[in-house]
Amino acid sequence: MLDTPEAVVEALRANNERAHGRQRTVTAEELVEAAQPFEEPDVLVTALLELMAAYEFTGEHRKSPVVFARLLKLWDTTPASFSQWEAHQIFWRFKWVTTSLLQVPEVPLATIHGWIDQMRTRYEAADHGLQPVAAMRYHVASHTGTGVADAYDLWATRPRTELSDCEACETRHFAWHQVRAGDDTGALDTWRPVLVHGMGCTEEPQMSQARALLPLLRTGRFDEARSHHLTGYRRVRGNTGMQDEVGLHVEFCALSRNEGRGLEILAENRPLFEATGAPLAHLDFLTGTEVLLARLVADGHDGTPVAGPPGRNWTTGELLTHVRAEADRLTKAFDERNGTTAVGERRQLRLAQRPLLEEPLPLGLRTSLPRPSIAASVAAPAAVPETPEDFVSLVREARRVAATGHPGATRLWTRVAERLADDGAPHDDRLGPQDLLHAELAEHRAYALSREDRETESVTELKRAAELFEGIGMPWHALSARAQGLAWTSVSASPAEGGAAREGTGADGTTARLDEDALWAGLAEVLREAERLKAEAPLDGGALGAGEAASEQDAAAVRVLEYLTVLFSCAFAAYGAVTRQLPEPSDAAVARFEEFAALLRTEAERLSVPHHIANARQFTADIAGRRGDVERAVAGLRAALKDVEASDRPWRGSRPRALLAQLLMASNEQAEAVDLLHQAIADAVRYDDRDFALAPTYALLGHAASHLGDTSGAVRHLSEAAARFDQDGCHDEAANARLQLADVLACAGQQADAVAVLESVLTGDDASSLDERLAAQTRLTLARGLRELEEFLPAAEEFVRLADAIAAWEDEPGLQTMVAAETAVTLAMADRWDAAGTAYERAVASNAEAPRPSLVTRMMCEFARLVMLARGADGLDTALDHLTRADAVRAAVPDGTEGFVPWYETGAVHYRRARVLAQAEAFPKALAEAEAAIAAYDQGGEHGAVERAEATRIAALIEGNGLGRFKEAIARLAAAAERARTAGLAEAAQILDALRQDYEKR
């Protein structure tokens, strides 16, 4: 019941604790009605101020001035009804009225100027400085485009007053003035206190972060732009009072080529399409949206489904038409009201922008929509063959390029197949037998199917190719296709070179693996056939130039290539047999592999084909590395790269470089690994090698960069890896990359960025298909990250979801204990004590079944701390009860329990009890507990040195500040500081010395 002033005040207090949103606003409206009947208007004043704030922070600017007019009338008639703070708010909120009236095009400029004049009169009468009045005149000038320079000078040159906007907000306005003047660099310098040094308020830094995004892109500060998008958008999403900031984030996505991310932001903010209480902010939101939609339509995506105003389905083209019409209407209304074209000109400048980057800026976020392009950024131009329009020329070029082994042949053969499917033209005899083209296309299909893990179908295509080659009298080609078909069915590991060679499952559910005996019998038959063909027409060595067309190579050169492909297939099958048996392959498997690898290398050397020499070395190096002989593996790969250099086929260097980089990373040679990986990626892109695994290579590069302390590089590369895994449909791998990315960001102090990345992993349609263990790890990391940001309630919600997800797991019994303990602590931090108590007891019960005593005692100590924080000395008994329970858990742990360090756990409980007692001013008992903690940490020797120093600091504080025994405290600190220095703990010694010096001054 709200029939007494006290009841309304209590309801106002409760409503003030809610987040700004519709519920808080509606309740505020109800409380104003409830406060009106009371004889004294003081409660009504408070209620009106609360309602005005609710309107202001939810973008209801049409309504805010009406409320203020009522407040002003009460101020003029019954000023005694206003508290000191409320009286201050009357003058403060004059500014709100001006900016609110600017938001509404139906309000004439004369009315706005009239409010500013009244503001000046009242400020002068109350002897307030006039800088805020000058600020309002500047905002009107900036909006209308009239007299901007003079208004800015009058504002910026006046000294600040107690009624000036906070420094963070003024900084935003100063910087935004510079942006509009074209000075991005100067604006970013002005913004430093907010964007870099943490100056803020309820509206900052999120408002500045949104406005700084494009200046950061335009000045090439991409890492900062990414970070401010990740953290800034989290603060404004779904907030109707910040729809212009949401629009700026959408615009940033369009101009950084992250259109998919932009569409997801629209989907998360559909209510903003109907948020019309602040028309100017709504226009800014619509304009940012129009920038995105126009880019998508221009790129041919006008039929793409998108999220628009609720109530119907939209395509990009339809939504663009709707948004443009509404934005045009609002623009016209503002310009007519203002008598200028400033609003329309600013809108046209935004719409005329083009993407600021050639490739998408890696954001590290999972998005359900693919990026339009994911090409690596490399300086070298793509060294790929042209695609002729003439069909005969196209086939000839495909044959020429394929004969050189250039990866660009894949694109050419794909185009040949498309042309045949589209045109259905009769065969041209200039291309040789029709079955030759069919055989070549069958080989191409086999490679494509293998990349999709459709091994059974792939082998079928190779068999068909072999039959066709045999039928047209090309026995070496037929034999090569047979050998590859056998090799590809033999292994489940990825290949070291060439096409894919894995165990796979066909569309019919059958596996493509052959029986081992049948495999080796088949390959032995292939080798016998190769010997027979060699006897008929001996093979000669000779350089096979990468630039020679296939039609110009003599028959002997072709036979050499096909013969070595046969040997490569045998070596590959033997390589697969060894890798399947690792870590302890049989002697027979190793001997067979070494025999085939040596044969390939010997014959490639005899026939002067360096790239096959490199293949043989790479096989051998890979096996050596897998078996732990890193030195031999590294030497082999370096030799293989020299062979590649000699082969005139530079595109073959990407795989051995990536493999060498992996080995060097394991040996902590990260710098060279980074160089190798960069070159591997650059060559793969330069030569259009679509089979090269770019996603895992970027992941490796990110990992190496993080070890070198290159956070910026690690973030870029891991973000790129995640995006490429997404595009490849490898969602678990993408999530793993984002977990690594989040770890890098968190370690760099960018916890909010890390949380944004982790949230994206767990949202969207793909999240439900994640591996449950991976999803659980992601949720755990997210929950801890939210807690680190002091977003305790969202963190607790994530812990609760995690507890539900792992409830049925039986293979990790201690996991439920850990999650329950962390959930309990986080709920307590969120001031949800009843739920925290339930989780607390669940952790205790779980510990009895699946012991994790360290976690449970830590939880109990943390509860003791939080109880004292919440209740002060009134919580002493409860806090001590938690610590008594912690002692009981600790005492029940059997000696020698793995992962439990008795001296550490004992010290931790004594330390916490000391602090609890000190807070309750029970100083003698607190000192005894601190000394018990010191004694416990002493048992840990050098391992307990840090904790011992901290416990000594607490003992000295109790001794000096609590008991007034400064001499004893000084002696204690001097001895502890010296001990810390001896242990190499310079920072701890410095802290102890600083406290000692403070006591000595007393």
Side-chain angles (χ1 to χ4, degrees):
M1 295 290 291
L2 299 174
D3 52 0
T4 67
E6 292 77 14
V8 174
V9 169
E10 184 58 34
L12 284 166
R13 185 178 294 111
N15 197 41
N16 189 55
E17 294 178 357
R18 292 191 177 102
H20 281 291
R22 179 159 181 77
Q23 181 182 2
R24 178 167 174 172
T25 301
V26 170
T27 302
E29 291 172 337
E30 295 171 349
L31 293 174
V32 167
E33 291 183 15
Q36 287 182 134
F38 301 139
E39 182 176 350
E40 295 297 328
D42 52 342
V43 177
L44 179 59
V45 168
T46 305
L48 286 169
L49 285 167
E50 164 63 23
L51 179 58
M52 188 179 182
Y55 286 151
E56 178 73 16
F57 290 106
T58 54
E60 292 287 353
H61 291 281
R62 291 180 184 275
K63 300 177 180 179
S64 182
V66 178
V67 179
F68 186 72
R70 293 181 65 183
L71 281 164
L72 204 56
K73 185 176 180 179
L74 289 168
W75 171 250
D76 289 337
T77 56
T78 59
S81 300
F82 289 72
S83 69
Q84 183 177 355
W85 179 84
E86 290 168 340
H88 178 81
Q89 287 299 301
I90 286 293
F91 292 98
W92 182 269
R93 295 190 187 190
F94 260 105
K95 299 179 295 181
W96 290 13
V97 173
T98 301
T99 54
S100 290
L101 294 175
L102 271 180
Q103 285 276 345
V104 184
E106 294 86 355
V107 177
L109 279 183
T111 301
I112 299 172
H113 286 301
W115 270 103
I116 298 176
D117 290 342
Q118 185 180 168
M119 178 183 176
R120 178 188 180 97
T121 300
R122 288 179 179 269
Y123 271 45
E124 287 178 330
D127 200 27
H128 289 305
L130 297 181
Q131 192 256 17
V133 178
M136 294 304 103
R137 296 201 189 281
Y138 165 74
H139 292 323
V140 174
S142 178
H143 171 66
T144 62
T146 303
V148 179
D150 290 343
Y152 180 80
D153 287 342
L154 284 172
W155 167 45
T157 56
R158 287 179 180 267
R160 285 176 49 78
T161 76
E162 65 172 348
L163 289 170
S164 297
D165 282 344
C166 78
E167 288 190 68
C169 288
E170 279 207 342
T171 297
R172 176 181 76 248
H173 294 312
F174 288 141
W176 194 236
H177 178 82
Q178 291 173 282
V179 170
R180 285 187 167 178
D183 184 9
D184 286 339
T185 301
L188 293 171
D189 286 342
T190 299
W191 255 317
R192 284 184 64 82
V194 175
L195 297 180
V196 179
H197 299 306
M199 180 189 290
C201 65
T202 56
E203 296 179 333
E204 290 294 346
Q206 57 266 35
M207 294 182 78
S208 289
Q209 286 177 311
R211 284 160 177 75
L213 291 172
L214 295 186
L216 287 166
L217 279 187
R218 288 192 291 259
T219 54
R221 293 162 65 170
F222 302 138
D223 293 336
E224 292 169 77
R226 176 197 303 109
S227 178
H228 288 306
H229 170 64
L230 293 179
T231 59
Y233 174 67
R234 288 188 74 244
R235 292 186 174 106
V236 303
R237 64 184 174 196
N239 186 341
T240 55
M242 290 195 170
Q243 56 179 315
D244 40 355
E245 282 74 24
V246 174
L248 289 168
H249 281 279
V250 172
E251 182 178 359
F252 162 79
C253 290
L255 300 181
S256 65
R257 295 190 181 273
N258 282 283
E259 291 89 343
R261 165 70 169 167
L263 291 180
E264 290 191 340
I265 290 177
L266 292 185
E268 290 180 333
N269 293 274
R270 292 188 77 175
L272 297 190
F273 286 103
E274 298 178 323
T276 58
L280 185 59
H282 191 57
L283 173 59
D284 284 339
F285 167 70
L286 293 175
T287 302
T289 300
E290 187 177 348
V291 172
L292 171 68
L293 298 174
R295 290 299 318 149
L296 288 165
V297 169
D299 289 341
H301 301 295
D302 55 314
T304 300
V306 295
R312 58 159 289 188
N313 296 325
W314 297 86
T315 65
T316 304
E318 292 167 344
L319 185 58
L320 175 60
T321 300
H322 171 82
V323 165
R324 183 169 286 159
E326 180 64 12
D328 283 344
R329 182 187 68 78
L330 286 171
T331 301
K332 181 180 178 182
F334 278 112
D335 280 345
E336 286 179 351
R337 189 271 300 272
N338 298 337
T340 68
T341 59
V343 173
E345 288 172 0
R346 282 195 292 270
R347 177 165 174 258
Q348 289 308 313
L349 284 174
R350 289 177 71 181
L351 295 176
Q353 297 173 105
R354 293 294 178 265
L356 298 169
L357 304 174
E358 291 298 320
E359 301 297 336
L361 175 68
L363 299 177
L365 301 173
R366 186 211 60 80
T367 174
S368 59
L369 296 163
R371 296 191 292 177
S373 170
I374 309 186
S377 299
V378 292
V384 297
E386 296 293 328
T387 306
E389 285 298 320
D390 174 69
F391 184 72
V392 172
S393 300
L394 174 63
V395 174
R396 285 175 172 170
E397 179 68 357
R399 286 172 176 169
R400 183 193 72 80
V401 174
T404 69
H406 194 296
T410 298
R411 178 174 47 82
L412 293 172
W413 282 121
T414 298
R415 184 59 184 148
V416 170
E418 291 171 349
R419 288 286 300 274
L420 278 176
D422 293 342
D423 301 342
H427 182 69
D428 192 312
D429 290 339
R430 289 177 294 173
L431 296 176
Q434 188 170 8
D435 280 353
L436 172 59
L437 183 56
H438 289 164
E440 291 165 325
L441 287 170
E443 282 190 310
H444 167 66
R445 285 193 298 273
Y447 301 143
L449 288 165
S450 182
R451 288 195 297 274
E452 298 173 9
D453 294 340
R454 296 162 63 183
E455 305 299 350
T456 299
E457 297 160 87
S458 175
V459 172
T460 299
E461 290 293 338
L462 283 170
K463 289 179 179 178
R464 181 167 182 260
E467 292 169 358
L468 290 168
F469 282 131
E470 194 75 49
I472 56 177
M474 299 180 69
W476 275 112
H477 289 75
L479 191 63
S480 170
R482 282 174 55 198
Q484 290 180 78
L486 287 166
W488 289 17
T489 60
S490 68
V491 290
S492 57
S494 297
E497 169 57 36
R502 297 178 295 272
E503 175 184 9
T505 302
D508 59 358
T510 61
T511 60
R513 284 278 304 282
L514 284 180
D515 174 80
E516 290 281 338
D517 293 338
L519 167 67
W520 301 120
L523 287 174
E525 183 182 343
V526 165
L527 288 174
R528 285 193 294 272
E529 179 65 12
E531 291 301 316
R532 187 184 68 78
L533 291 174
K534 282 167 60 181
E536 290 180 358
L539 302 177
D540 299 320
L544 300 174
E548 294 183 82
S551 60
E552 297 171 353
Q553 292 187 21
D554 58 34
V558 173
R559 291 197 299 273
V560 165
L561 288 174
E562 299 302 334
Y563 168 61
L564 290 175
T565 300
V566 168
L567 299 185
F568 173 88
S569 299
C570 294
F572 193 88
Y575 161 86
V578 172
T579 57
R580 282 198 305 277
Q581 296 178 20
L582 288 173
E584 296 295 335
S586 67
D587 291 342
V590 173
R592 185 186 296 115
F593 165 72
E594 291 176 347
E595 176 187 351
F596 280 128
L599 178 61
L600 173 61
R601 178 177 169 181
T602 301
E603 287 295 271
E605 289 173 341
R606 180 178 71 81
L607 296 168
S608 301
V609 184
H611 72 270
H612 270 303
I613 302 172
N615 286 340
R617 292 190 198 276
Q618 188 174 335
F619 279 135
T620 303
D622 190 17
I623 293 296
R626 289 170 184 256
R627 299 186 72 187
D629 191 349
V630 175
E631 185 175 348
R632 182 185 177 197
V634 168
L637 288 168
R638 293 194 191 280
L641 285 170
K642 290 182 179 178
D643 293 324
V644 169
E645 291 173 6
S647 72
D648 199 23
R649 298 188 179 199
W651 49 84
R652 291 185 173 272
S654 292
R655 288 163 180 77
R657 284 193 180 92
L659 186 55
L660 177 57
Q662 281 183 278
L663 293 168
L664 292 174
M665 286 171 63
S667 302
N668 204 31
E669 298 180 54
Q670 313 291 345
E672 185 181 356
V674 165
D675 291 341
L676 287 165
L677 291 168
H678 274 301
Q679 188 172 351
I681 291 170
D683 283 350
V685 174
R686 176 180 174 84
Y687 299 111
D688 196 25
D689 188 350
R690 301 184 183 189
D691 290 342
F692 182 71
L694 279 170
T697 306
Y698 271 110
L700 276 175
L701 188 52
H703 188 64
S706 68
H707 277 281
L708 287 174
D710 179 10
T711 299
S712 176
V715 170
R716 285 197 307 274
H717 303 317
L718 289 169
S719 298
E720 186 69 26
R724 289 179 179 276
F725 279 128
D726 281 338
Q727 184 133 317
D728 294 341
C730 302
H731 301 305
D732 286 349
E733 290 82 353
N736 260 319
R738 291 190 171 98
L739 270 174
Q740 292 183 54
L741 172 59
D743 183 58
V744 168
L745 290 167
C747 290
Q750 297 171 248
Q751 187 64 260
D753 297 37
V755 162
V757 169
L758 294 167
E759 285 177 334
S760 78
V761 174
L762 296 172
T763 56
D765 297 336
D766 297 333
S768 60
S769 64
L770 281 180
D771 174 82
E772 65 174 3
R773 306 285 167 149
L774 181 58
Q777 181 60 57
T778 304
R779 198 172 297 283
L780 175 62
T781 309
L782 172 59
R784 288 171 172 170
L786 288 166
R787 188 172 61 198
E788 184 75 18
L789 293 176
E790 298 185 3
E791 297 182 29
F792 298 126
L793 188 55
E797 290 169 350
E798 291 298 337
F799 274 121
V800 170
R801 293 188 186 100
L802 177 60
D804 290 341
I806 66 170
W809 293 6
E810 297 180 356
D811 58 333
E812 295 187 59
L815 190 59
Q816 283 89 346
T817 307
M818 181 268 285
V819 172
E822 294 210 41
T823 304
V825 169
T826 310
L827 283 165
M829 289 176 168
D831 202 28
R832 298 295 194 270
W833 286 97
D834 289 343
T838 301
Y840 181 105
E841 296 302 335
R842 188 184 306 122
V844 172
S846 179
N847 184 63
E849 299 294 327
R852 294 290 293 272
S854 294
L855 293 173
V856 173
T857 56
R858 196 174 309 153
M859 173 191 73
M860 292 168 171
C861 288
E862 190 65 4
F863 260 68
R865 181 186 73 85
L866 292 170
V867 165
M868 295 300 293
L869 188 65
R871 297 169 54 190
D874 291 341
L876 176 61
D877 290 342
T878 303
L880 292 175
D881 284 344
H882 287 302
L883 295 171
T884 299
R885 296 184 73 175
D887 279 330
V889 170
R890 177 178 54 79
V893 179
D895 292 341
T897 297
E898 184 178 359
F900 188 86
V901 183
W903 63 261
Y904 177 85
E905 304 298 342
T906 301
V909 178
H910 283 303
Y911 172 82
R912 181 51 55 194
R913 189 176 282 112
R915 298 203 63 166
V916 164
L917 290 165
Q919 281 179 267
E921 299 186 0
F923 298 120
K925 292 181 179 179
L927 182 58
E929 289 294 327
E931 290 178 333
I934 294 169
Y937 291 137
D938 265 339
Q939 296 175 30
E942 63 180 14
H943 300 295
V946 172
E947 291 80 7
R948 186 190 189 285
E950 166 60 11
T952 303
R953 183 183 72 87
I954 293 299
L957 285 169
I958 296 168
E959 204 163 29
N961 295 345
L963 298 172
R965 289 156 44 180
F966 291 104
K967 288 184 178 180
E968 291 88 341
I970 289 168
R972 184 191 298 274
L973 289 165
E978 183 58 33
R979 181 167 177 165
R981 273 188 288 273
T982 302
L985 303 176
E987 185 178 357
Q990 185 177 2
I991 292 170
L992 295 167
D993 280 337
L995 181 58
R996 175 182 56 78
Q997 290 163 9
D998 178 55
Y999 280 176
E1000 287 174 344
K1001 290 176 183 177
R1002 297 189 192 186

